[in-house]
Amino acid sequence: MKTHTQLLIFACVTAFCTGMTPVFAQQGSGDMDNFIKELMGKMTIDEKIGQLNLVTAGEAVTGSVVSTDVEAKIKEGKIGGIFSMTTPQRVRAAQELAVNHSRLKIPIIFGMDVIHGYKTIFPIPLGLAASWDMGLIQETARIAAAEASADGLNWTFSPMVDISRDPRWGRISEGSGEDTYLGSRIAEAMVRGYQGDDLAAAHTLMACVKHFALYGAAEAGRDYNTTDMSLHRMYNEYLPPYKAAIDAGAGSVMTSFNDINGVPATANKWLMTDVLRKQWGFDGFVVTDYTAVNELIDHGLGDLQDVSALSLKAGVEMDMVGEGFLTTLKKSLEEGKVSEADIDRACRLVLEAKYKLGLFEDPFRYCDEERAKQVILNPAHLAKAREAAGKSFVLLKNDQQLLPLKKQGTVALIGPLANTGTNMPGTWSVSADLANTPSLLEGMQAVLGNQVKIIHHLGSNLLDDTAYQERATMFGRTIPRDERPEADILAEALETAKQADVIVATLGESSEMSGESSSRTDIGIPAVQQRLLAALLKTGKPVVLVLFAGRPLTLTWENEHVPAILNVWFGGTETGKAVADVLFGDVNPSGKLPATFPQHVGQVPLYYSHKNTGRPLAEGQWFQKFRSNYLDVSNEPLYPFGYGLSYTTFTYGEVTLNATELQRGGKLQVSVGVTNTGNYAGEEVVQLYIRDLVGSVTRPVKELKGFRKLRLEPGQSQQIVFDLTEEDLKFYNTELEHVAEPGEFAVFVGTNSRDVQEKHFSLR
Ligand code: BGC
């Protein structure tokens, strides 16, 4: 995962020297079918296969394979798309080659992993999810699209909507957490943000929903590992966010690397054709993940020719980087292993995407140097990034209102995450300008100026083990390493701490301790940092833990000993300023956890919407013999899903229902009054869960079905009304029918998934 180097310099020079102007205006007034039919009528089989080939801009991006001979292949019509090539100049140069030097002048689609911002980086997706603010999330995607499209791109490999209930899996950072309903709403918001209401507009991007499917359920949380799951669970819990993104109009889908019940996704016809196309009516195109076709060989499905044919026939249209399609499909056609209709289908869908993006009309519509200058990193975007970061932070603990701090005196920022700008954007921010991202220290200084004296010390290394630290600081996400004995570093840190009124311990993970290929078995704060924290606490000074994390961490010890914990994930470009805003009370934290924080990694997977089992624990018990539990740790999470504190307090009135029965086709109103009973203005996320108490299949003990985020001034109250309909009660039964069964339901309303009021109603 790196930024690309310069490429196609020759082409760039040629284009500008000759002043070529596009001869294009192929795309007519709107009859896509005829236009593509006519174009495909002129295409050779090689040219059709060429459209299915997606290459990198000349260097490895997220895998070890590198695309070669890109310029020559463009001219020969052997490339349909390029990814991770940016700037209007370079994109223009490559596009010039395609539209002026290839036989049929078919424009290229330009993609990239624009995951949580382009140059203006927003919090990592798990952090954005913690905002529970769909308008904000949509806006971050809109800004990402505006910046990326100004830099020549028209396609993003986002949103990543993989549900994950396993914090060992590093890529949990890249999605929206554990919940089906929240994940689905976020998926829609992101697609709307990227695509707007006009895919062909110069400021929008085509979305790519990934990773289809079930990538987040990898066994043991180990990346790329197998998933094996019942259909019932897939349909009810894991597939809805992908479907929501598709229903919102996402133009493309990316396959996942994993095996699904014996057939890897990239060769899985049931998934790509039966579910995606036939059941969900998806009409865009499917791209593989990076070399995922080739990886089918290691999965054990055959040689490159076999697996390329399998993948195409399964319903995949574009091959990312591996060139299995490019190099074998013609032979497979000649040998009758694929049909011309298979290739035509794939080619047509790729061309349709280009048509919808308006590329046939103007292949250079995303290449406007002036717009790039105006749009990228503009102050309004940075302001939104600061706001988004502040809204993503989750206050996990705040004993005796230690926070907010007063803007006075001396604060010691101590820990390996205090002064590293490169780690602030978080994982999967491939286009971030790392050299110019302020560190936490710099960002805080910029906000606080002379009001607060900030002193700083590294405190400890990130990790004891040098090799582990190297693996955890790849791609330029550096953290200085001090090779002196730990005791010497600590002694110095304590000297710094002594001079302060308050210690802010800046600990946790580096950005590359989560993300792709970054699974962990121990999800605690690394031991060397814990020792630092213990020593800081021993000073007797107030200690605030500012926790950097790309996943739920186990914080049992910290929760017991540290008076205040603010989880800031990785907040993006404006992390430092946003942390200052929250620590000093200019912004009241309002984030709520989108994934459960376990007490112990051995509880994983631990999620709130679990089944009851036939031997649940009695209420209030944490161990009973012959009941479903552990000998050593209770079943409870440390912090439940939906949890997060505020500097103020919110008091809930009694939850009321307007009826005891929900009529099919009608609605039931669930109301509650919420009052800000504290001293600060603040935001609260009111959450509504249901439980289907009796059914033909077992149902989760709680399922989120609604939420409302509101802002209240001190003393202010608001009445919230949720409308429940039959739709909210539906689930997939054993026949995979989407039904709402009659019977009794519980409805829960509250401030998180644990602290709720319960009422009952029935459906006839
Ligand atoms: C990742 C994808 C990403 C692709 C292209 C892969 O390794 O799994 O999420 O879109 O690389 O960078």
Side-chain angles (χ1 to χ4, degrees):
M1 203 172 49
K2 302 178 202 150
T3 50
H4 58 82
T5 49
Q6 290 210 343
L7 168 100
L8 292 163
I9 291 165
F10 157 77
C12 198
V13 171
T14 315
F16 286 112
C17 293
T18 57
M20 282 178 195
T21 43
V23 286
F24 259 68
Q26 295 188 7
Q27 188 165 324
S29 54
D31 191 346
M32 179 170 81
D33 276 356
N34 281 336
F35 174 80
I36 288 173
K37 205 164 157 201
E38 206 176 296
L39 178 59
M40 283 181 63
K42 296 182 205 148
M43 293 174 82
T44 63
I45 200 72
D46 288 315
E47 284 165 334
K48 288 177 183 170
I49 293 170
Q51 286 304 307
L52 318 185
N53 193 28
L54 175 64
V55 299
T56 65
E59 79 166 39
V61 180
T62 33
S64 52
V65 179
V66 182
S67 303
T68 54
D69 301 327
V70 173
E71 292 182 32
K73 282 179 186 153
I74 296 175
K75 290 188 196 163
E76 290 165 38
K78 288 186 174 167
I79 285 177
I82 299 183
F83 81 98
S84 291
M85 175 184 283
T86 56
T87 76
Q89 293 87 342
R90 284 188 214 123
V91 169
R92 179 181 290 278
Q95 195 71 297
E96 289 268 10
L97 284 180
V99 303
N100 288 328
H101 294 277
S102 73
R103 194 180 74 90
L104 288 173
K105 308 181 185 316
I106 298 173
I108 292 169
I109 184 170
F110 290 90
M112 190 154 178
D113 291 283
V114 181
I115 308 293
H116 49 109
Y118 180 64
K119 292 285 181 197
T120 301
I121 306 292
F122 299 101
I124 56 168
L126 192 62
L128 277 177
S131 74
W132 294 56
D133 186 332
M134 299 307 112
L136 175 78
I137 292 173
Q138 180 168 333
E139 182 63 2
T140 66
R142 187 196 67 73
I143 290 172
E147 292 195 357
S149 61
D151 220 16
L153 299 164
N154 37 51
W155 183 31
T156 175
F157 304 147
S158 174
M160 189 279 216
V161 304
D162 305 318
I163 294 294
S164 184
R165 291 159 178 186
D166 195 331
R168 292 171 299 181
W169 190 54
R171 298 194 82 170
I172 196 171
S173 56
E174 221 189 306
S176 299
E178 74 182 43
D179 188 57
T180 313
Y181 181 85
L182 180 62
S184 300
R185 302 292 77 78
I186 292 174
E188 293 160 357
M190 293 196 70
V191 171
R192 283 197 293 263
Y194 290 133
Q195 298 195 163
D197 50 17
D198 180 8
L199 257 189
H203 58 270
T204 57
L205 297 176
M206 178 175 278
C208 184
V209 189
K210 70 187 190 186
H211 305 82
F212 196 55
L214 319 181
Y215 185 36
E219 280 179 5
R222 182 157 57 80
D223 211 357
Y224 317 123
N225 207 2
T226 305
T227 60
D228 200 305
M229 190 185 282
S230 70
L231 288 175
H232 177 246
R233 168 164 272 187
M234 269 189 218
Y235 273 76
N236 282 308
E237 300 170 32
Y238 280 76
L239 293 181
Y242 306 101
K243 182 168 187 300
I246 284 156
D247 289 345
S252 65
V253 167
M254 186 185 291
T255 69
S256 57
F257 288 121
N258 52 287
D259 183 341
I260 297 175
N261 297 356
V263 184
T266 306
N268 198 315
K269 187 165 191 179
W270 169 77
L271 195 63
M272 297 303 158
T273 300
D274 296 352
V275 176
L276 185 61
R277 302 237 175 242
K278 295 188 184 156
Q279 292 174 22
W280 296 357
F282 175 62
D283 65 358
F285 75 98
V286 175
V287 63
T288 70
D289 203 340
Y290 204 99
T291 59
V293 171
N294 315 58
E295 289 165 27
L296 297 171
I297 302 171
D298 280 325
H299 274 289
L301 295 191
D303 64 16
L304 187 61
Q305 186 185 349
D306 294 333
V307 297
S308 303
L310 260 180
S311 183
L312 178 78
K313 288 190 85 70
V316 169
E317 277 82 38
M318 200 179 235
D319 174 6
M320 189 193 286
V321 179
E323 301 207 334
F325 281 10
L326 189 75
T327 55
T328 70
L329 283 186
K330 194 172 179 186
K331 187 159 180 254
S332 290
L333 178 65
E334 285 157 8
E335 293 172 3
K337 291 178 178 155
V338 301
S339 66
E340 189 154 359
D342 293 325
I343 295 172
D344 280 356
R345 177 211 83 226
C347 177
R348 163 172 277 278
L349 288 170
V350 171
L351 294 175
E352 283 183 2
K354 294 181 178 185
Y355 188 99
K356 290 175 195 162
L357 286 165
L359 287 169
F360 287 106
E361 196 177 58
D362 177 5
F364 302 105
R365 71 171 24 151
Y366 304 92
C367 300
D368 176 347
E369 287 80 359
E370 270 318 300
R371 189 162 77 90
K373 279 184 219 146
Q374 286 160 17
V375 167
I376 292 175
L377 284 168
N378 84 25
H381 295 180
L382 289 170
K384 195 46 83 175
R386 183 169 173 178
E387 179 194 335
K391 289 194 169 177
S392 74
F393 300 163
V394 184
L395 184 63
L396 296 174
K397 191 177 169 193
N398 193 20
D399 268 3
Q400 288 161 20
Q401 301 225 301
L402 174 54
L403 292 176
L405 302 175
K406 294 205 174 64
K407 285 187 190 161
Q408 63 185 37
T410 303
V411 170
L413 274 194
I414 298 184
L417 275 306
N419 200 17
T420 165
T422 56
N423 277 269
M424 297 302 98
T427 192
W428 274 112
S429 48
V430 288
S431 43
D433 182 359
L434 296 183
N436 291 311
T437 305
S439 68
L440 179 61
L441 175 66
E442 291 159 348
M444 286 182 66
Q445 276 166 341
V447 174
L448 298 164
N450 297 329
Q451 288 174 286
V452 180
K453 184 169 176 206
I454 305 181
I455 52 178
H456 155 252
H457 195 274
L458 177 72
S460 78
N461 284 317
L462 176 73
L463 291 147
D464 279 305
D465 178 358
T466 310
Y468 186 2
Q469 179 153 340
E470 265 168 34
R471 292 197 291 275
T473 49
M474 292 172 91
F475 311 122
R477 317 285 169 141
T478 50
I479 294 185
R481 199 172 165 87
D482 190 334
E483 294 299 353
R484 288 179 298 157
E486 185 182 335
D488 295 2
I489 307 170
L490 187 59
E492 254 182 37
L494 292 176
E495 272 311 306
T496 307
K498 261 195 215 152
Q499 300 160 38
D501 303 304
V502 178
I503 300 169
V504 173
T506 52
L507 309 178
E509 299 188 305
S510 61
S511 72
E512 297 315 303
M513 283 172 80
S514 63
E516 186 166 355
S517 187
S518 294
S519 293
R520 297 179 66 199
T521 58
D522 175 349
I523 54 171
I525 294 180
V528 62
Q529 297 186 47
Q530 276 187 342
R531 294 193 290 272
L532 166 66
L533 183 57
L536 294 174
L537 287 163
K538 271 205 193 128
T539 63
K541 306 232 177 202
V543 176
V544 177
L545 170 57
V546 169
L547 179 70
F548 288 84
R551 52 161 60 80
L553 296 180
T554 45
L555 301 167
T556 306
W557 185 89
E558 291 78 0
N559 184 58
E560 240 169 69
H561 296 95
V562 187
I565 308 177
L566 181 69
N567 177 24
V568 299
W569 315 105
F570 290 92
T573 313
E574 297 292 69
T575 300
K577 289 183 182 164
V579 170
D581 292 340
V582 172
L583 286 183
F584 292 91
D586 289 335
V587 169
N588 188 349
S590 59
K592 300 271 191 172
L593 297 176
T596 303
F597 276 43
Q599 299 180 66
H600 191 286
V601 69
Q603 295 175 296
V604 165
L606 184 68
Y607 50 97
Y608 82 91
S609 63
H610 60 84
K611 300 288 182 74
N612 199 37
T613 82
R615 293 188 173 193
L617 279 176
E619 185 88 31
Q621 298 292 316
W622 86 258
F623 179 81
Q624 290 173 292
K625 196 65 186 167
F626 305 121
R627 294 267 133 191
S628 182
N629 48 216
Y630 302 97
L631 283 172
D632 53 347
V633 173
S634 79
N635 289 349
E636 293 303 311
L638 181 64
Y639 306 119
F641 174 83
Y643 171 86
L645 304 174
S646 165
Y647 295 154
T648 193
T649 45
F650 296 101
T651 306
Y652 283 63
E654 194 186 339
V655 172
T656 57
L657 310 187
N658 72 336
T660 51
E661 236 174 53
L662 169 60
Q663 307 298 325
R664 288 185 190 264
K667 64 181 181 194
L668 182 82
Q669 295 194 317
V670 183
S671 313
V672 67
V674 182
T675 306
N676 181 345
T677 44
N679 299 323
Y680 298 85
E683 290 184 294
E684 166 71 336
V685 180
V686 182
Q687 303 162 37
L688 178 142
Y689 299 84
I690 62 152
R691 176 172 179 184
D692 189 345
L693 289 158
V694 180
S696 59
V697 292
T698 60
R699 305 290 304 132
V701 296
K702 268 180 201 140
E703 287 177 281
L704 184 71
K705 289 293 174 186
F707 57 88
R708 213 62 68 68
K709 188 162 186 175
L710 40 125
R711 184 184 167 81
L712 296 175
E713 298 299 319
Q716 196 187 350
S717 301
Q718 197 175 320
Q719 190 73 9
I720 304 293
V721 182
F722 292 99
D723 289 337
L724 273 182
T725 69
E726 185 186 347
E727 246 351 86
D728 299 312
L729 309 184
K730 283 188 176 169
F731 63 91
Y732 291 91
N733 63 17
T734 50
E735 306 305 311
L736 298 183
E737 296 153 342
H738 201 217
V739 293
E741 292 179 346
E744 197 180 348
F745 290 80
V747 56
F748 312 89
V749 176
T751 182
N752 62 53
S753 63
R754 182 189 58 203
D755 302 316
V756 288
Q757 295 177 51
E758 178 175 349
K759 299 280 161 174
H760 286 222
F761 67 93
S762 59
L763 175 75
R764 269 196 197 269

